[in-house]
Amino acid sequence: MHLIQNFFKEVVRLIKEGEDSKAQALLSVLSEPNETHLGLSADKSRGRAVGEESAHDIWDALHESRAARSGLLEDLEDTVLMIKGISVDIVSDIATNIIRAPLIQYTQQMCEWHGIPMEKDVDSGALWDSRNKEWTSKFVSLPVAGGRRLMLVPKGIVRRHLSYDAGEYCTHYLLTHLQQVELDANSSLVQLLKNKKRRVTKKSLKEKYGTGKDMIVRETIKHPEALARYRKDKKKEDHPALPLEVITEIENEAAPDWNTLLQKVVGLPTGKDDAGAYEKAVEGLLTALFYPALMYPLPQREIHEGRKRIDIAYTNMAQARFFQWVGAHYPAPHIYFECKNYGREIGNPELDQLGGRFSPSRGKVGFIVCRSFEDKALFMKRCRDTAIDDRGFILPLDDEDLVALTESRKTDALYERYLFLHERFNELIN
């Protein structure tokens, strides 16, 4: 978000200060980001949307807009409401271009973890330098197919629709506000109904004020409180990630094979020889099980300047149920998982190891995933002792638990799945 805001504010600043050639130069770098294959082309990615002639059109629209010159525009998404020629797909393309650097970093991490081959010295494409406010490029390692570089995009940030919508804003916010303006002025648009109530129709407002983005800009400048309320309401809205089922439908791919994901975990032999395979198998299962509550898995996350590592760290993005609840009541911006493919009992050393990774800023909630317990009740008491001593909240998950969680996911039993976690967490705190 910082990169997008930084780029957009720089373009608007240049336009306001009359540095037209510099603004056009920044915009001309943008193009449809073929590397992600998220465009709307029916066949192969063609590189339309922004770039070359379109850059001048976008600059011209921004330059001529009173919204840009008046300071009304604050974020890139505002352009969808008020700038002619800028639509949702163009905003999406612009945003993807601007965040190319973190997408490359994410792609490299996932390729290293999943063993996807990458080529060295691949042209990165344009990278936005927020400090110097300029485009740069460099040679990086990326996967290449058909002679074209590829970038992976976290599925958690992909949406079908942009939150901001010009029609929605105009109809439900700006025109609603203008209705009250006309009522307060007791203008000629006010109709007196038989029941003595007064009203102003939105049809009459459109006839008086007009329609389209020119009207939106003109009246929003006069009544900025309408836009302020729209922005405020949008911030309150939930914007959930696309469910796995929707993503597979869009991509025309098969749904997750839960039996296979589970078998990759429980079918492994115990012992150090398969510790790496176990960790990867657990990550594959958990990532599917807990998406979209837990996102952006980071295997072997280093802390304390690399002196300690966490097997798997997830960002807690939950908007409901257990992980949202635990994040609202305990330090849990990240959720940690330690994987133990032991053929022996888990004890205090493993608890202390995970507890030593916790901090108020990183989070204090985690899981120990292992094959089995000789005495699970005793281990839960040890976890409770750790919680009582304020050393963090650690939940155990063994093969049996993973089977139960997977079965509930196969039937889409959200209640059962997260009730299971709630009940286990309550054993730590009650």
Side-chain angles (χ1 to χ4, degrees):
M1 180 61 79
H2 161 72
L3 290 174
I4 296 172
Q5 291 176 336
N6 181 273
F7 173 81
F8 180 70
K9 287 180 179 178
E10 178 63 10
V11 171
V12 171
R13 182 189 70 81
L14 292 172
I15 290 173
K16 289 173 67 176
E17 295 181 4
E19 299 190 52
D20 299 341
S21 60
K22 289 184 179 180
Q24 289 187 62
L26 291 184
L27 290 167
S28 67
V29 174
L30 303 171
S31 64
E32 185 179 4
N34 300 330
E35 311 99 305
T36 63
H37 291 269
L38 291 176
L40 300 178
S41 302
D43 193 4
K44 67 179 181 179
S45 301
R46 296 182 176 86
R48 56 171 193 82
V50 293
E52 301 177 359
E53 295 180 4
S54 296
H56 178 80
D57 294 338
I58 294 172
W59 166 81
D60 191 54
L62 287 168
H63 180 264
E64 296 300 320
S65 173
R66 291 176 63 194
R69 289 182 279 112
S70 67
L72 197 60
L73 298 180
E74 293 183 358
D75 296 308
L76 177 61
E77 55 197 353
D78 290 341
T79 61
V80 174
L81 304 180
M82 291 174 275
I83 304 299
K84 289 182 179 179
I86 296 187
S87 57
V88 171
D89 58 336
I90 289 180
V91 169
S92 176
D93 287 348
I94 292 174
T96 304
N97 275 274
I98 298 168
I99 64 171
R100 182 176 278 112
L103 289 181
I104 288 175
Q105 183 181 20
Y106 173 78
T107 300
Q108 292 169 339
Q109 290 173 342
M110 292 300 102
C111 287
E112 289 173 3
W113 174 243
H114 292 287
I116 300 172
M118 293 185 286
E119 292 188 12
K120 296 181 179 180
D121 298 326
V122 176
D123 181 7
S124 65
L127 306 174
W128 178 246
D129 182 344
S130 61
R131 175 170 295 181
N132 297 313
K133 294 181 174 56
E134 62 183 12
W135 291 105
T136 64
S137 66
K138 60 183 180 180
F139 292 105
V140 298
S141 295
L142 279 177
V144 175
R148 294 176 177 268
R149 62 177 180 255
L150 299 176
M151 284 194 314
L152 302 179
V153 179
K155 58 182 175 291
I157 68 172
V158 177
R159 299 291 186 275
R160 273 182 159 175
H161 308 288
L162 195 66
S163 173
Y164 277 32
D165 180 83
E168 175 190 54
Y169 167 63
C170 183
T171 301
H172 301 296
Y173 288 80
L174 188 54
L175 289 180
T176 297
H177 181 82
L178 291 174
Q179 281 178 317
Q180 191 59 51
V181 169
E182 297 291 338
L183 286 169
D184 291 343
N186 198 25
S187 74
S188 60
L189 297 186
V190 177
Q191 300 175 354
L192 186 62
L193 304 179
K194 290 182 179 180
N195 60 6
K196 305 300 181 182
K197 289 185 177 181
R198 301 184 308 147
R199 75 170 184 181
V200 174
T201 66
K202 290 183 178 178
K203 179 180 179 181
S204 67
L205 290 172
K206 292 177 182 179
E207 292 173 352
K208 176 178 178 178
Y209 293 99
T211 58
K213 292 188 177 181
D214 284 341
M215 172 269 186
I216 289 176
V217 172
R218 184 182 68 249
E219 297 307 320
T220 300
I221 290 175
K222 297 177 184 177
H223 307 282
E225 56 269 39
L227 180 57
R229 187 164 65 89
Y230 185 70
R231 287 171 173 157
K232 183 179 179 181
D233 287 351
K234 284 297 173 182
K235 287 180 180 179
K236 294 178 182 178
E237 285 183 358
D238 289 334
H239 303 289
L242 296 176
L244 287 178
E245 291 76 10
V246 173
I247 293 174
T248 54
E249 179 185 345
I250 293 172
E251 294 296 318
N252 196 27
E253 297 286 345
D257 186 337
W258 298 106
N259 290 334
T260 298
L261 287 171
L262 177 64
Q263 189 58 35
K264 285 182 178 180
V265 177
V266 301
L268 281 172
T270 59
K272 288 184 177 181
D273 290 345
D274 290 290
Y278 177 70
E279 185 178 325
K280 286 191 175 183
V282 167
E283 184 273 323
L285 178 61
L286 294 178
T287 297
L289 276 178
F290 293 135
Y291 172 85
L294 302 185
M295 294 191 197
Y296 318 126
L298 185 57
Q300 292 298 312
R301 176 183 174 180
E302 293 185 350
I303 60 174
H304 298 163
E305 299 178 336
R307 292 186 295 277
K308 292 182 180 179
R309 293 191 178 200
I310 300 166
D311 284 349
I312 311 169
Y314 288 91
T315 300
N316 186 359
M317 302 293 290
Q319 297 180 346
R321 301 183 177 87
F322 171 75
F323 289 109
Q324 186 277 332
W325 173 84
V326 80
H329 295 86
Y330 303 91
H334 300 93
I335 305 294
Y336 301 117
F337 290 81
E338 284 292 323
C339 305
K340 304 300 180 185
N341 191 39
Y342 291 173
R344 58 176 175 80
E345 184 71 345
I346 304 293
N348 286 329
E350 289 75 24
L351 279 172
D352 294 340
Q353 178 190 16
L354 181 53
R357 271 64 173 164
F358 292 153
S359 78
S361 58
R362 287 191 298 270
K364 301 184 71 173
V365 177
F367 293 76
I368 287 182
V369 187
C370 65
R371 308 309 303 271
S372 65
F373 294 95
E374 293 179 10
D375 190 338
K376 188 183 290 187
L378 175 60
F379 188 78
M380 277 301 303
K381 289 180 180 178
R382 289 173 172 161
C383 293
R384 189 169 186 273
D385 293 340
T386 300
I388 291 173
D389 291 343
D390 196 25
R391 291 185 286 122
F393 303 89
I394 300 174
L395 302 175
L397 292 176
D398 59 12
D399 283 0
E400 184 181 80
D401 297 325
L402 294 179
V403 169
L405 288 168
T406 304
E407 286 300 316
S408 65
R409 183 61 181 85
K410 285 163 61 176
T411 59
D412 200 28
L414 285 171
Y415 175 79
E416 292 178 10
R417 195 179 337 147
Y418 290 110
L419 178 62
F420 172 93
L421 297 177
H422 266 293
E423 290 178 340
R424 186 151 293 183
F425 194 90
N426 284 338
E427 292 184 47
L428 301 181
I429 60 178
N430 293 328

